[in-house]
Each structure stands twice: as C-alpha cells, then as structure tokens.
Amino acid sequence: MVAAISILLAVAAGSESAVQVSIALLALLILMRHGDRLALAPVYAGGLLIVSELAQQAIELRGVRSVAAWVVGARVARALAVAAFGAAVGAAATLAVRVAPGRSVAFTALGAAALLMALGAITWLARRQAR
Amino acid sequence: MTRAVAPRVRGLTALCGAGLIAALASGQAELAIIVLPFALLVALGLADRREPRLSATIELERERVLEGAATGAILAFRNDGDRDVTVELELLTTRRLEVQPASPLVLRVGAGAREQLELSVFAERWGAHSVGPVQARARDPFGLVIWTATIGPSVSLRVFPREQRLRELIDPARTQPFLGTHVARAKGEGIEFADVRPFMTGDRVRRINWRVTARRGTLHVTERHPEQASDVVLLVDTFAEARTGEAGTLDDAVRATTSLAKAFLARRDRVALVDFGGTLSWLEPAFGTTQLYRVIDALLASEIAFSYAWRAVDSIPRRVLPPAALIVAVTPLLDDRSLALLLDLRRRGRDLTVVEVSPLGHVAPGPRSGDELAHRLWRLQRDALRLRLQSLGIGVAPWSPDGELAPVLEGVNQFRRSTRHAARA
C-alpha cells in the first residue's frame, strides 16, 4: 500500500526518479512478504515493469494537449511484450537456479563479472552515436 | 537530430545494478530475476540506433489577417525513416499568437507515411509574426532515447491593425496641383463656383457665363475652384510609450495611423510616413492602395527602440516632408525629443496637427499617499503642454484609445478653422 501510494505521488509530482525508487521499494516489499519468492519473481518482475512503464508514460504525457490515437496503446503493447519476454527469461533463470548446485566462489565471481559486463554494455549502448 | 539518453536510463540502470549486486551479496536469485525485465528494457531501448528522419511543412490558409482574427494552418509531417515514430511537437511562434490546439502535441507517424494536423492561429496583436518552425522530440519505442530537432520552415503571418472608419478628416491648409477631392483656394477648372470676371483673351468659350453677359452687355466668364489633392505626412512617435502588460500606446498609435492613412489615401491624397524615434525610417509620399500596403508593412515593424540620440527635423529627408504638406503627428507626448520636433516644425511654418494618444489608461497612481498628488500634477503638466501647443496654433486632439477617433478629429478641424479666422482678422 505504501509503495503503491508513493508511485501515485511520484506520478502526480512528475518525478521519474521517484517512480523508480518507488518501484524498487515495491519490489522489496513484495519479495519480503512472499514465501516462495523464487517461483513468483518472474511474474512480479513483469508486473513491476508494466507499472513502471505506465507511470513513466503518464509523466511524459503531462501537459500534452493532444495525443494522437495509438500513441499510448503502442507503447503499452511494447512494454507488455518486454515484460512477458522478461518474465519468460526470468522463469528460465529460476529453473536454472533450482537446478544449480548452490553458492560458490566461482559462481559469485561469474555473477559479478556478468554484472560488470552488463553495466558496461549498457554504458556503451548509451554512449554510441546514431546510425 | 540530436540524440540524448533519457534521464530515467540512469535510474533503471541503478535499479538493475542494485538488484544484481544484492542478489550476488545475499545469494538470493529472486533479487536478480525481479530486475531482469528492466535490464532487458534498457538494452533493447539503447540498442536501437536508428535516427528518425522527419520533415515538416507549414501552410497558412491566409498570410494576412486583421488583428483579432484567426486563420487556419496545416502542419504536415513526413517520416522518411523505416520505423514508426512518436513525436512530441511544439510549434514555435512569435508572441501574441495563440495556436489551438495548444502545444505540446503528440503525433504518431508511420514509416514512410505523412500525417497532418489542422491548427487555428489567432492573432491578438498587429505585427509581422512568424509561425514555425517546429520543435520536435521523438523517442525510441521504449522511451529511453530522445531525439530532438527543430524542423520545418518559419512562415510569415502579417497581422494588420484594427482600424476605424473615418468619414471626417483633418482639412489641409494647402493643396497640391494634383487631381484630388479638396476644393482648392486657387482658381481653375473645377466644379465649385469661385468668381465671375470679365472675359480675357485665352479664356475658353465654354466658361462664358451667358446670364451675366446678357445682364452686363460684355462677356464674362465663371471661375471655379479646382479639386486638388494634398500631401499628408503621418509622423509616428516611437521614442517612448506607456505600457501595461501586453497593451501600450504604441499599439494604439499604429491603429490610429493605419486608420488615418487608409482614409487619406481613399481621399486621393498623397501620404508619407515617418517613424520618428530611436530608429528613424520613412516612406516617401505616394498615392493609392499600394502605398497603403507599404504604410501598413512599415507600421508593422514599428517598435520602441531605446536610444539616447537626439533627432531633429534635419534628420528627415526633405522629399519626405513636402513644404505644403499637412503633418499629422501621432504621439503620446511622453518624450522631450518628440515635443522639440513638433515645436521645430511649427516654427518652420509647417501645417501641423497632433493626435495625442492618451497614456492615462496605462499610468495609474501608485498606492502611497503622495502618489495620487504626483499623478494629478503629471496630468496638469500634460494639460499645460497641450495648451502651449495650441497657443502656437497646433491643433491637439487628445484621443483615448477606447473612444472613436472621428469626433476628436472634428474638434481639431474646428480649432484649425478658428485659428485661421483669427489669423485673418
């Protein structure tokens, strides 16, 4: 409830960063409450993405006097597609985790390397020029 | 178009990073799984490097409108790229133009397609305005990359001042030897009866007054007054103005000058224009509708340009101030330089009239106790100035912009007639 209200307040204030903080808070609260968090994580992940995208679009369209047809629908449809794809990938990751032998230094190092590569890739994508 | 990453990418990246680090630190995979779709979103959004290829055109239904009127505009976009683009656009216009629907607007243009918007442009104030270009902002399909550019042309829209119909105008003291509508004092070919005199060699037979000839027994001819045109110089004072918000005395002066120019030109007088202020500009005298449009175009560019320069009559070319011209000065009488010009013109024997655009509506007394007294003193000072000008034989027509101009001009005509009678006596 608290996180939901904070998302609404963030949208009302037009603050994108507040939306993301509220999404993070909502994610934490959801994970803390549920027992079988691993099984439900992909579903919650997809749902959080849709909430985030809807909140973001509400902020972007604030003050806009006229919106052509399908502008909102197209973006929501894309968000749903990414959410579904992300949930599917998340489900596959969940299966992999259940099958995996458990924590180890090697797996942790691999995870850290993957994290750094992912962040590096995002930075590179953000900085490269247009085609 | 200029590419920039949306600010929320940082937030999303931080969210993903926090989730992944927390997952690594705590060993709870669900923390990583819950941020996975966000990471996918960021990667997909940033991976798209295709720059939108947008172009825009603007067409106005009419390029000239009257103040307070509206005209339609069609804003057309073409997407030459290979994907659909959602573009947020803002139509840039000069001040005092209102566009409906108001910016910003969001439009979706398919790949290779053309979309158009119908807008209404309302002109609040006269002037040479421009509509366009368009400030366009396009996003990638996920809203993570923002492309901005200014596209399209800037189209000129000329808004003509509101004018009043004037049936009575200021009668000039002297006329010019061009065909016009004023009954001249000189005698010649015309309609108005002037005199009867004895026939002289060279007189035309058709001018013989047979009735008088029969009565007197010798040939007599009828003399008439010809209808001639006169030269009129409209002098607009742009040294200073009184302004409240969006309205000022310059706006009213331009409207009054337009009304006067239209009425004098319709009477087949030759009209010149002098914009006398921080910047000096002029139009030489000419007749007709073409001159009216030239005058209006020149007036549309009028603005108060602050300057310390002291200008005199000598700054104005002689060909713009014909010797026998009626000079009508449209001024709020706020600047000493314009007052000095008027006095100088009068001393040189010019036929001068002043249309005083009253600034009282823009200058209210302040809230303090002495402000009301100061305001009254200022008004008295203006009355004294008006009397001083009238004592020099300059007709001054104080005009409040929310009133009609015609009765004010009739008052000036009465003053001028009484001054001429007094001078003859």
Side-chain angles (χ1 to χ4, degrees):
Chain A
M1 180 69 125
V2 170
I5 290 171
S6 78
I7 290 172
L8 288 172
L9 287 173
V11 170
S15 169
E16 294 176 359
S17 47
V19 165
Q20 281 142 31
V21 168
S22 305
I23 292 292
L25 179 64
L26 187 57
L28 272 174
L29 291 172
I30 286 168
L31 289 176
M32 276 163 48
R33 286 196 173 201
H34 284 273
D36 192 2
R37 297 188 294 248
L38 191 59
L40 293 170
V43 178
Y44 285 131
L48 284 171
L49 180 70
I50 291 165
V51 169
S52 170
E53 280 300 290
L54 287 174
Q56 179 64 29
Q57 195 154 25
I59 290 171
E60 283 171 13
L61 293 177
R62 268 165 64 116
V64 172
R65 306 298 175 101
S66 169
V67 181
W70 280 108
V71 166
V72 173
R75 180 100 167 251
V76 169
R78 280 187 220 109
L80 280 169
V82 173
F85 182 62
V89 172
T94 305
L95 277 173
V97 167
R98 285 193 191 277
V99 166
R103 286 191 80 171
S104 70
V105 174
F107 275 130
T108 304
L110 196 64
L115 167 64
L116 288 171
M117 278 171 58
L119 290 175
I122 286 170
T123 307
W124 176 73
L125 285 171
R127 287 191 171 179
R128 66 184 179 154
Q129 295 301 314
R131 185 176 55 176
Chain B
M1 297 183 90
T2 307
R3 179 181 186 264
V5 171
R8 72 179 184 129
V9 169
R10 282 187 224 110
L12 287 172
T13 308
L15 182 69
C16 297
L20 292 171
I21 291 168
L24 275 176
S26 63
Q28 294 181 29
E30 51 272 22
L31 289 170
I33 289 165
I34 209 159
V35 299
L36 196 56
F38 292 93
L40 278 170
L41 180 75
V42 171
L44 286 170
L46 296 180
D48 189 353
R49 280 195 301 152
R50 290 172 297 173
E51 181 180 342
R53 287 186 166 75
L54 288 174
S55 57
T57 57
I58 303 168
E59 277 176 29
L60 291 174
E61 187 185 326
R62 283 176 293 164
E63 290 180 356
R64 292 178 185 165
V65 291
L66 273 178
E67 206 177 1
T71 182
I74 293 178
L75 189 54
F77 284 91
R78 185 170 172 77
N79 179 8
D80 294 315
D82 54 3
R83 63 175 171 88
D84 296 357
V85 173
T86 300
V87 57
E88 185 180 317
L89 55 98
E90 185 169 353
L91 184 62
L92 302 175
T93 60
T94 46
R95 276 177 58 225
R96 311 296 294 274
L97 277 187
E98 198 184 302
V99 180
Q100 289 294 337
S103 299
L105 308 166
V106 176
L107 188 66
R108 191 151 183 271
V109 190
R114 187 175 180 273
E115 291 287 336
Q116 67 182 37
L117 283 172
E118 287 181 13
L119 307 170
S120 175
V121 181
F122 175 75
E124 288 178 22
R125 181 192 182 263
W126 55 263
H129 296 281
S130 67
V131 179
V134 177
Q135 192 86 33
R137 190 184 319 169
R139 294 175 190 262
D140 70 294
F142 301 105
L144 298 177
V145 177
I146 301 172
W147 301 88
T148 53
T150 304
I151 55 175
S154 177
V155 179
S156 161
L157 175 66
R158 302 188 97 69
V159 181
F160 289 176
R162 271 194 319 269
E163 59 198 48
Q164 295 185 19
R165 270 193 81 171
L166 300 173
R167 279 175 291 184
E168 288 291 329
L169 284 173
I170 302 164
D171 298 324
R174 284 173 282 179
T175 56
Q176 299 291 336
F178 307 116
L179 185 65
T181 56
H182 304 288
V183 177
R185 285 195 206 126
K187 292 172 190 171
E189 294 288 338
I191 299 170
E192 287 288 322
F193 175 80
D195 198 2
V196 175
R197 61 165 174 78
F199 182 89
M200 288 192 295
T201 310
D203 284 337
R204 298 169 76 174
V205 174
R206 59 191 285 178
R207 288 173 64 186
I208 293 175
N209 188 324
W210 295 108
R211 208 174 274 180
V212 174
T213 299
R215 255 204 317 270
R216 297 205 180 169
T218 52
L219 283 173
H220 282 73
V221 295
T222 305
E223 286 189 309
R224 299 189 184 275
H225 290 299
E227 283 82 37
Q228 292 180 333
S230 59
D231 283 338
V232 178
V233 178
L234 299 172
L235 191 87
V236 183
D237 176 5
T238 55
F239 272 116
E241 66 167 341
R243 179 162 281 274
T244 323
E246 297 290 346
T249 52
L250 180 63
D251 301 342
D252 303 316
V254 165
R255 292 183 192 115
T257 308
T258 305
S259 305
L260 288 166
K262 189 172 183 184
F264 279 119
L265 286 166
R267 233 168 49 160
R268 283 188 255 149
D269 290 329
R270 226 165 49 138
V271 172
L273 178 74
V274 177
D275 181 337
F276 195 81
T279 56
L280 176 64
S281 61
W282 58 83
L283 274 178
E284 291 181 21
F287 297 98
T289 310
T290 312
Q291 178 69 351
L292 175 62
Y293 283 112
R294 281 195 212 115
V295 165
I296 293 175
D297 282 344
L299 286 171
L300 293 184
S302 300
E303 57 182 17
I304 301 294
F306 183 75
S307 167
Y308 289 111
W310 188 278
R311 299 200 193 281
V313 177
D314 300 329
S315 307
I316 305 171
R318 287 187 187 180
R319 63 187 183 276
V320 181
L321 290 180
L326 165 66
I327 301 174
V328 181
V330 184
T331 169
L333 291 176
L334 290 173
D335 196 290
D336 289 341
R337 289 169 290 186
S338 41
L339 179 62
L341 171 73
L342 297 176
L343 294 174
D344 195 2
L345 284 169
R346 189 61 190 156
R347 272 188 228 111
R348 291 167 190 241
R350 295 306 193 107
D351 184 10
L352 177 63
T353 295
V354 172
V355 174
E356 180 197 343
V357 183
S358 175
L360 296 180
H362 301 286
V363 182
R368 295 176 301 179
S369 57
D371 291 343
E372 174 64 38
L373 180 61
H375 194 260
R376 279 175 56 201
L377 280 170
W378 175 66
R379 290 202 313 266
L380 286 171
Q381 204 175 15
R382 290 186 65 81
D383 292 340
L385 175 61
R386 206 174 297 124
L387 283 171
R388 183 185 167 197
L389 293 173
Q390 286 173 342
S391 69
L392 293 171
I394 302 172
V396 182
W399 173 58
S400 175
D402 48 3
E404 295 282 323
L405 191 53
V408 162
L409 298 179
E410 178 52 36
V412 167
N413 271 334
Q414 285 176 0
F415 173 85
R416 286 163 62 83
R417 279 193 287 268
S418 65
T419 310
R420 279 203 289 269
H421 288 320
R424 280 192 211 130

